[in-house]
Amino acid sequence: MGYFIESLAQIIGREPKRPANDEISIKVQEIHKYKKANKITLVKLEAERKANRARGEASRWLKRRWAVLISVNLLFVVSYYFDIQLLEGALTASRFVGFHMADLNSSLQVMLAFKHIVLNLMIGTVTVFILWLLLGGRTFCSWVCPYHLLSEWAEKLHLWLVAKKIIKGYTFHRGVRTFFYLVFAALTFITGYTIFEAISPTGILSRALIYGAGVALLWVLFLLLFEIFISRRAWCRYVCPIGMTYGFVGSMSPLRVVYKPELCFFGGDCRTVCLVPHVLDSTIMGRARDEIVPIGADCTRCGMCVDICPASALKFEIKGIGKAFDEPEEKNTARPE
Ligand code: SF4
Ligand code: SF4
């Protein structure tokens, strides 16, 4: 299955599969064989992890991302309070220096509710579609969505509680997100109301920040408590249709993360930090098929895997413009001569 189709299948819930031997390129088979035979893993990996932390690279993208996320959301607040008309509205529908912007998922919901194409929404929808197509689709999640930030903090607490064996984390089949997607679409179509908008923590938080807190924040609190005590990142992983919509957009995006097995130590650090670890299946020893593997469209381009990888085996790339791995290499000698 090609990367594109596989990526779409994973968005709707398909689990990644180990490739058959004849699907793996000869060069990558050699790399895997060499690394297995030479046991190039733990000692070197630990040294690189330490060096990575010392260089401050383990949180480079995280700091940038949080700065952007907080700035975008503050811009709404500042524009509203000082009436400077820079960024008006909220995340679901806004105007940026006069340009209409409409969140893709909200537009879909409105059109389903009205049962026809709402022309007034089209300009804003197309603008936002092009924007996120260029920027990576689910980039919206990790670089803009206010719930993502709270959920990241809740996740830290969840992982700490699990590590201390105070709670046990539960996972569910990712296909339930597709089920919820269809349920929300069907309910909207049948009732004529954009039901998801009422319970979307993205919209609730965005409006609360701008216009003030409301009782709907209790729902957001419930979601966060569920993620802390029951299931890690449950809303984004198993429910939110916004993430799914932007995932489809991201499948066509030139901005992506790519993986190079030649540099990898197979320590799996990337998968432990990732919101959507299924997209990093190729980083498991024996799973990569090519020397450079594009990471699937469900990836939020958060950069956590890029930050944490001690071997620089994951990088951002703009397809057709910049090669991700063309800088001098460097610290990882874990490859066949
Ligand atoms: S999946 Fe939904 S709630 Fe989660 S970060 Fe994306 S838009 Fe926000
Ligand atoms: S693959 Fe990397 S960049 Fe993409 S969501 Fe996972 S950690 Fe973030």
Side-chain angles (χ1 to χ4, degrees), residues 8-50:
L8 294 181
Q10 284 187 15
I11 290 177
I12 59 173
R14 180 182 183 272
E15 288 307 327
K17 282 203 182 115
R18 190 187 187 97
N21 247 4
D22 59 357
E23 290 176 286
I24 303 176
S25 76
I26 304 289
K27 181 79 199 289
V28 175
Q29 288 188 31
E30 278 169 14
I31 290 169
H32 289 150
K33 247 188 245 161
Y34 174 84
K35 295 205 174 191
K36 257 188 204 160
N38 289 279
K39 295 199 175 21
I40 295 171
T41 47
L42 295 176
V43 176
K44 184 133 180 76
L45 176 62
E46 211 33 65
E48 290 295 356
R49 275 177 180 152
K50 272 193 194 138

Side-chain angles (χ1 to χ4, degrees), residues 127-299:
T127 311
V128 167
F129 175 80
I130 294 171
L131 178 75
W132 293 111
L133 178 68
L134 295 175
L135 293 178
R138 287 201 75 186
T139 323
F140 172 84
C141 292
S142 61
W143 291 75
V144 173
C145 176
Y147 185 72
H148 191 283
L149 186 62
L150 296 187
S151 186
E152 272 185 272
W153 294 339
E155 181 180 29
K156 287 187 194 309
L157 199 47
H158 174 85
L159 292 176
W160 181 82
L161 291 168
V162 170
K164 295 275 169 210
K165 297 195 174 24
I166 298 169
I167 59 160
K168 184 175 176 304
Y170 293 90
T171 57
F172 305 97
H173 193 288
R174 288 185 303 101
V176 294
R177 189 176 60 162
T178 307
F179 170 76
F180 278 118
Y181 196 94
L182 296 174
V183 167
F184 287 129
L187 284 175
T188 304
F189 187 77
I190 294 164
T191 62
Y193 290 100
T194 55
I195 288 171
F196 173 71
E197 290 309 318
I199 59 162
S200 164
T202 311
I204 293 172
L205 283 169
S206 181
R207 289 188 292 274
L209 275 169
I210 302 162
Y211 308 118
V215 73
L217 282 180
L218 289 175
W219 167 243
V220 179
L221 181 65
F222 167 78
L223 292 177
L224 289 170
L225 291 174
F226 186 85
E227 293 188 1
I228 291 169
F229 294 107
I230 313 283
S231 181
R232 178 183 179 186
R233 305 300 295 267
W235 178 263
C236 302
R237 281 182 173 172
Y238 308 117
V239 183
C240 184
I242 305 177
M244 195 159 168
T245 301
Y246 282 112
F248 289 123
V249 176
S251 65
M252 297 170 274
S253 174
L255 176 65
R256 59 192 188 169
V257 172
V258 287
Y259 165 67
K260 194 171 187 181
E262 188 182 20
L263 298 176
C264 186
F265 292 119
F266 303 103
D269 295 13
C270 52
R271 296 189 300 281
T272 65
V273 294
C274 184
L275 167 65
V276 281
H278 54 278
V279 301
L280 289 168
D281 193 68
S282 297
T283 63
I284 299 171
M285 168 74 96
R287 299 281 174 104
R289 286 180 289 173
D290 296 299
E291 286 171 69
I292 294 192
V293 181
I295 298 304
D298 223 0
C299 163

